[in-house]
Amino acid sequence: MQSLISVDEATHAVHAQPRVRTNESVPLPEAVGRVLADEVMAERAHPPFDRVTMDGIATRWLPVMPAVLRVAGAQTAGGYGQALREADTCIEVASGALLPEGCDCVIPIEHLVRNAQGYSLAPAASPSRGQFIHRQGADCPADAVVLEAGVRIGPPQMAVLAANGVATVKTVRLPIVAIVTTGDALLDVAAPLHPARIRRCSDLAMMAALQEAGLGLPTLQPLSDDPDVLGATLSRLLQSHDVLVLSGGVTLGQRDYLPTTLESVGVRCVFQGVAQQPGRAMWFGVGPNAQRVFALPGNPYSALVCMARYVRPALLSGMGVSVVACEQVRLAAAVPAHVLTQFVAVRLRREPGGEVLAQPLPPRSNADVTTLAATDGFVEVPAGLACEVGHALPLYRW
């Protein structure tokens, strides 16, 4: 019987392989989801000036404010040059404007009464020195590190980059990935129906898993079960890709040529077979130029489980993305023990008190994509562990 390694051993083996990380510069709008290659410094202090935070007037604070504050000018956001000369005057200001020279207090419009002479305080108004002023450098000083290398660029990071004039961003290059699907029984999504064939779907599902993780658009390469064609195509793909993800042909069937074909094109087997369900037949190897090669079972359930549990985390960590601990969820139903580590598909539901529970919803078969589409991800159940209702387990989202 084939010897199986544990899930932890497989995880360590996948992440232990050496990787060559290269960088590339991209325009800021194209940097969403990418990983910063270098730290980013503040272009200047933020805010770069004493900034008004409310529409109203700017004036000089006094223990007893004048009965009327005469208007001596106006300063809009983006404008500058106004200065307060007399204590019983004020300057009309807009939120975001530079604080006029000589002012140390902003009084919002809702705390004022406008009259022919100027502005008077509303009865409940009680202004204080420094109110509604965002002081220069309060957010960060000039030359401070505002983003660390290795950060994923999301909405807040985009705002920081734009605010500091970073029009071109130095990022870690995305891995170039090919997804290879084998099998004579598979039809293209647009092909006419065939009574003895099924449509190919695992490769598109895995493509979606990579795209959702910000890993770019992979090459999709369907192939027949011809070992000569398989070998020639894999050899060509290894020359132009960093990662190959293969689906199908890794079990011990008579027409499962992948393991031997991979070795014939220079891919060294690191392991074959993991003590897990589904995905027990998973194969992993390293190409002649450190390319990572994942050969996964062809059914959608196994392929997506292995993608979420091994492939996607390995590609992200290879780009320098910090590994975040899995979220923990509690089971809404018991799961019996199994000799292998189980990856159990679950649907999440929120209880009235706010707690999120995971309802086991395993597909009827490993090819049952209809049930799979009703789930949010899967929980990992250690081998030999029987889990009762309420047991906390790590969750992997699709």
Side-chain angles (χ1 to χ4, degrees), residues 7-71:
V7 169
D8 287 344
E9 289 171 328
T11 302
H12 180 267
V14 167
H15 286 269
Q17 302 308 313
R19 295 175 290 272
V20 178
R21 189 181 303 163
T22 58
N23 303 327
E24 63 181 352
S25 295
V26 299
L28 181 58
E30 298 177 16
V32 179
R34 303 292 290 267
V35 177
L36 276 178
D38 290 335
E39 64 183 18
V40 175
M41 312 291 289
E43 181 181 37
R44 55 181 176 171
H46 291 282
F49 48 81
D50 288 346
R51 176 177 168 271
V52 173
T53 64
M54 296 287 284
D55 292 333
I57 61 171
T59 188
R60 187 175 304 143
W61 182 84
L62 296 169
V64 179
M65 298 297 292
V68 176
L69 291 163
R70 295 178 291 110
V71 178

Side-chain angles (χ1 to χ4, degrees), residues 13-14 16-19 238 242 262-263 265-271 283-294:
V14 167
Q17 302 308 313
R19 295 175 290 272
L238 283 169
D242 306 308
L262 285 167
E263 292 180 9
V265 296
V267 180
R268 174 180 59 85
C269 178
V270 176
F271 65 79
W283 188 102
F284 174 70
V286 179
N289 294 311
Q291 305 97 324
R292 285 164 288 170
V293 180
F294 300 84

Side-chain angles (χ1 to χ4, degrees), residues 177-181 200 203-204 206-207 217-222 241:
V177 183
I179 297 177
V180 180
T181 309
R200 192 179 72 249
D203 57 343
L204 291 167
M206 291 190 290
M207 176 193 74
L217 183 65
T219 301
L220 298 184
Q221 179 67 72
H241 292 76

Side-chain angles (χ1 to χ4, degrees), residues 28 34 36 146-147 151-163:
L28 181 58
R34 303 292 290 267
L36 276 178
V146 291
L147 289 175
V151 170
R152 290 290 293 277
I153 301 173
Q157 292 75 27
M158 286 293 285
V160 171
L161 291 166

Side-chain angles (χ1 to χ4, degrees), residues 182-316:
T182 64
D184 294 332
L186 301 178
L187 289 172
D188 184 77
V189 64
L193 289 173
H194 187 286
R197 296 184 179 182
I198 59 174
R199 295 201 187 278
R200 192 179 72 249
C201 64
S202 293
D203 57 343
L204 291 167
M206 291 190 290
M207 176 193 74
L210 294 178
Q211 287 184 289
E212 279 199 341
L215 289 165
L217 183 65
T219 301
L220 298 184
Q221 179 67 72
L223 292 176
S224 65
D225 288 322
D226 183 322
D228 293 331
V229 172
L230 192 59
T233 304
L234 291 177
S235 181
R236 174 176 56 82
L237 291 173
L238 283 169
Q239 295 175 29
S240 55
H241 292 76
D242 306 308
V243 180
L244 300 188
V245 182
L246 302 103
S247 174
V250 292
T251 57
L252 300 178
Q254 292 182 351
R255 295 181 63 80
D256 293 331
Y257 307 115
L258 267 183
T260 55
T261 303
L262 285 167
E263 292 180 9
S264 74
V265 296
V267 180
R268 174 180 59 85
C269 178
V270 176
F271 65 79
Q272 179 176 9
V274 184
Q276 62 187 30
Q277 184 184 46
R280 183 168 65 173
M282 177 181 168
W283 188 102
F284 174 70
V286 179
N289 294 311
Q291 305 97 324
R292 285 164 288 170
V293 180
F294 300 84
L296 315 178
N299 63 74
Y301 189 18
S302 297
L304 282 179
V305 161
C306 293
M307 174 64 71
R309 182 62 179 79
Y310 300 104
V311 182
R312 197 167 55 193
L315 300 193
L316 291 172

